[in-house]
C-alpha cells in the first residue's frame, strides 16, 4: 500500500548522518530559534529542542543550528515506500540535490543579505535599537511564497500566534496536498490558489473556525485568480513598493498592515514597515513619534512608517522585524513553546474562540 511505514522524524545529524547536510551560517547572521518563532511564517514547529520541522515549498524539512553551521534534512515522499536500511534510515535520500536544497534555504532566509553589517548601521543610527539588538541578534526577514504569505496574514487579523498557527494548519490539512507522515503527524503543502477558489471554499473555511476571515480568504483567492493571477502576484516583486501595496490593498480583507507584511516578507520590499498596535505604542512611547490622533489612523500609520524609514534607512522593515521579535518574545510566556505548538498542530477544536 502507499501508506506503508510512516517515516521517523530525524531530529539531529547524529541520527542518519547521510541524510543531513549543512551550510556555513554564523548566529549573527541567523538565529533560527528567533526567526522561526517570530510570526513571519506559521509553518515551523520546534519538534525537539533546537530542531525545527516545517514545510518549505513542497517539502518537509528539519533544520538545526550548531555554532556556525545550519544543518538541514529533507524528507521525500518516496522515503515512505522504501525498505529501511540496516541503520534504520530510509535506503534513499530525498530526490533533491545538495545545490538545489541549499539554494532554496539561501533564498528563504535571504542569506545573501549581510545582516550583521545592517545591525551595525541601525545601531549607529538608533540607540534604542542598540539596546534591543544585544539580546536579539540574527533576526532576519524570510522570503516567503507570496500566495502563502498573503493568505497566512489575512488570518492574522485580531488573532494571536498560537491560534493563527492552528488555523493555518487546518487550512493546509483541508486544502493542501499531503506531503508525508512523520511520527504520526501528517504534513501538507500550503494550498494552491486554485484550491482556495472553489465554490464551497468559504463555507468550508467557516466550518474550520475561520469566522469572518473565511470570506476574505475565498474572496481574495477569487480576486487574484480572476485578476493578476499567482504569477502576477509574484511579479509585484519587481514593481515599486507603493504600487505593490496599492494592488494588495484592493483585495478583500487586506489593509495597510497585512499589505506591508506581504510586501516585506514575500515581495522584496525591505522598506515596508508593518505597523501593528505594538509598534504604534513603541513609536509613540519610546521614540516619541507625535503621530496624529489617539488611534492608529491611516495617516498615523503612514507617519510612523515614514519615521522609521528615515531613521533606519532602506531596510527599515528588517529593523522593525528585530523590534517586533523582541516585543513578541517579551509578551510570550516562556512556557515550553514546543508543547504548545505541537498541541496546536493536533487541535481538532474548530471553534473561533
Amino acid at each position: 500500500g502507499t501508506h506503508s511505514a510512516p517515516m521517523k522524524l530525524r531530529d539531529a545529524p547524529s541520527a542518519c548522518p547521510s541524510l543531513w547536510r549543512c551550510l556555513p551560517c554564523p548566529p549573527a547572521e541567523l538565529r533560527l530559534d528567533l526567526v522561526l518563532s517570530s510570526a513571519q511564517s506559521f509553518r515551523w514547529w520546534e519538534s525537539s529542542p533546537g530542531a525545527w520541522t516545517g514545510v518549505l515549498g513542497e517539502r518537509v524539512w528539519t533544520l538545526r543550528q550548531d555554532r556556525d553551521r545550519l544543518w538541514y534534512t529533507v524528507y521525500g515522499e518516496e522515503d515512505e515506500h522504501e525498505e529501511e536500511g540496516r541503520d534504520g534510515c530510509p535506503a534513499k535520500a530525498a530526490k533533491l540535490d545538495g545545490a538545489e536544497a541549499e539554494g532554496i534555504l539561501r533564498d528563504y532566509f535571504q542569506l545573501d543579505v549581510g545582516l550583521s553589517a545592517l545591525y551595525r548601521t541601525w545601531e549607529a543610527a538608533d540607540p534604542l535599537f542598540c539596546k534591543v539588538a544585544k539580546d536579539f541578534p540574527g533576526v532576519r526577514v524570510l522570503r516567503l511564497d507570496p500566495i502563502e504569505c498573503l493568505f497566512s496574514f489575512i488570518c492574522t487579523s485580531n488573532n494571536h500566534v498560537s491560534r493563527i498557527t492552528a488555523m493555518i494548519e487546518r487550512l493546509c490539512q483541508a486544502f493542501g496536498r499531503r506531503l508525508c507522515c512523520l511520527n504520526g503527524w501528517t504534513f501538507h503543502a500550503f494550498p494552491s490558489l486554485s484550491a482556495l477558489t472553489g465554490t464551497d471554499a468559504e463555507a468550508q473555511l467557516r466550518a474550520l473556525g475561520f469566522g469572518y476571515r473565511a470570506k476574505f480568504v475565498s474572496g481574495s483567492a477569487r480576486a487574484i485568480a480572476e485578476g493578476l493571477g499567482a504569477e502576477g502576484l509574484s511579479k509585484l516583486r519587481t514593481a515599486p513598493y507603493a504600487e505593490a501595496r496599492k494592488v494588495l490593498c484592493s483585495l478583500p480583507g487586506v489593509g495597510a498592515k497585512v499589505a506591508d507584511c506581504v510586501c516585506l516578507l514575500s515581495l522584496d520590499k525591505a522598506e515596508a514597515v508593518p505597523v501593528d498596535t505594538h509598534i504604534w505604542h513603541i513609536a509613540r512611547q519610546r521614540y516619541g513619534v507625535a503621530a496624529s490622533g489617539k488611534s492608529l489612523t491611516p495617516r498615523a500609520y503612514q507617519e510612523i512608517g515614514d519615521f522609521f524609514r528615515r531613521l533606519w534607512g532602506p531596510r527599515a522593515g528588517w529593523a522593525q522585524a528585530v523590534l517586533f521579535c523582541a516585543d513578541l518574545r517579551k509578551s510570550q510566556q516562556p512556557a515550553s513553546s514546543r508543547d504548545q505548538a505541537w498541541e496546536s498542530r493536533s487541535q481538532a477544536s474548530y471553534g473561533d474562540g
Side-chain angles (χ1 to χ4, degrees), residues 147-148 150-152 154 170-172 174-176 190-202 204-205 208 210 214-225:
I147 291 290
E148 173 173 346
L150 172 67
F151 290 101
S152 297
I154 286 176
R170 297 196 296 268
L171 177 78
C172 295
F175 296 93
F190 199 86
S192 64
L193 182 62
S194 57
L196 297 172
T197 54
T199 42
D200 58 348
E202 186 184 337
Q204 263 181 287
L205 289 163
L208 293 174
F210 273 62
K215 69 171 186 299
F216 293 151
V217 171
S218 64
S220 281
R222 276 197 305 276
I224 293 167

Side-chain angles (χ1 to χ4, degrees), residues 23-352:
L23 58 99
C25 188
E29 288 298 317
L30 170 66
R31 272 282 301 274
L32 206 54
D33 58 329
L34 294 177
V35 173
L36 296 183
S37 65
S38 64
Q40 293 187 31
S41 165
F42 300 93
R43 306 232 53 210
W44 294 94
W45 297 272
E46 196 175 359
S47 44
S48 66
W52 292 83
T53 298
V55 180
L56 165 51
E58 296 274 298
R59 290 188 168 83
V60 180
W61 308 60
T62 295
L63 309 178
R64 277 199 91 92
Q65 209 169 5
D66 117 53
R67 294 189 218 62
D68 288 342
R69 287 177 300 188
L70 174 61
W71 287 92
Y72 59 96
T73 185
V74 186
Y75 303 88
E77 299 142 280
E78 65 278 0
D79 297 358
E80 295 187 70
H81 322 315
E82 276 163 18
E83 292 309 306
E84 289 195 346
R86 276 195 308 250
D87 53 358
C89 298
K92 255 198 338 263
K95 295 179 174 69
L96 180 63
D97 72 61
E100 196 186 341
E102 180 165 329
I104 291 169
L105 286 179
R106 296 195 73 85
D107 179 72
Y108 187 68
F109 289 109
Q110 309 202 60
L111 293 178
D112 299 337
V113 176
L115 189 66
S116 42
L118 285 172
Y119 267 63
R120 286 196 293 274
T121 309
W122 299 324
E123 284 165 0
D126 176 6
L128 285 171
F129 182 90
C130 222
K131 276 217 278 264
V132 172
K134 278 204 312 292
D135 299 324
F136 294 89
V139 176
R140 50 193 317 125
V141 166
L142 298 176
R143 188 176 197 247
L144 304 169
D145 171 75
I147 291 290
E148 173 173 346
C149 187
L150 172 67
F151 290 101
S152 297
F153 280 88
I154 286 176
C155 299
T156 61
S157 67
N158 304 317
N159 215 343
H160 55 79
V161 176
S162 61
R163 248 182 80 212
I164 296 161
T165 304
M167 202 176 257
I168 290 169
E169 184 55 33
R170 297 196 296 268
L171 177 78
C172 295
Q173 284 169 5
F175 296 93
R177 194 165 70 79
R178 179 187 179 280
L179 295 177
C180 68
C181 186
L182 295 178
N183 291 21
W185 299 108
T186 304
F187 289 80
H188 292 78
F190 199 86
S192 64
L193 182 62
S194 57
L196 297 172
T197 54
T199 42
D200 58 348
E202 186 184 337
Q204 263 181 287
L205 289 163
R206 280 194 185 279
L208 293 174
F210 273 62
Y212 66 88
R213 302 173 197 88
K215 69 171 186 299
F216 293 151
V217 171
S218 64
S220 281
R222 276 197 305 276
I224 293 167
E226 291 159 10
L228 76 175
E231 281 292 286
L233 187 63
S234 292
K235 283 210 180 93
L236 292 175
R237 284 176 165 169
T238 56
Y241 167 45
E243 185 190 323
R245 196 176 166 196
K246 202 170 133 199
V247 171
L248 292 168
C249 285
S250 71
L251 297 168
V254 179
K257 185 192 149 242
V258 168
D260 274 334
C261 288
V262 177
C263 281
L264 177 64
L265 296 168
S266 70
L267 298 179
D268 301 338
K269 311 292 177 241
E271 72 271 43
V273 177
V275 181
D276 68 345
T277 50
H278 292 275
I279 296 293
W280 177 58
H281 287 304
I282 288 171
R284 294 183 62 190
Q285 286 152 19
R286 290 189 227 159
Y287 288 88
V289 179
S292 19
K294 286 272 178 280
S295 66
L296 189 47
T297 59
R299 188 168 155 209
Y301 186 102
Q302 186 64 39
E303 285 169 0
I304 289 165
D306 290 343
F307 169 82
F308 285 127
R309 280 183 279 275
R310 281 194 302 273
L311 177 65
W312 293 326
R315 288 196 176 267
W318 284 54
Q320 179 272 350
V322 179
L323 287 198
F324 182 83
C325 172
D327 196 63
L328 191 66
R329 272 296 165 112
K330 290 189 182 81
S331 66
Q332 276 173 349
Q333 280 64 40
S336 166
S337 62
R338 180 173 102 242
D339 297 346
Q340 289 167 0
W342 281 94
E343 202 178 300
S344 77
R345 251 199 91 77
S346 57
Q347 253 170 19
S349 58
Y350 293 157
D352 195 41

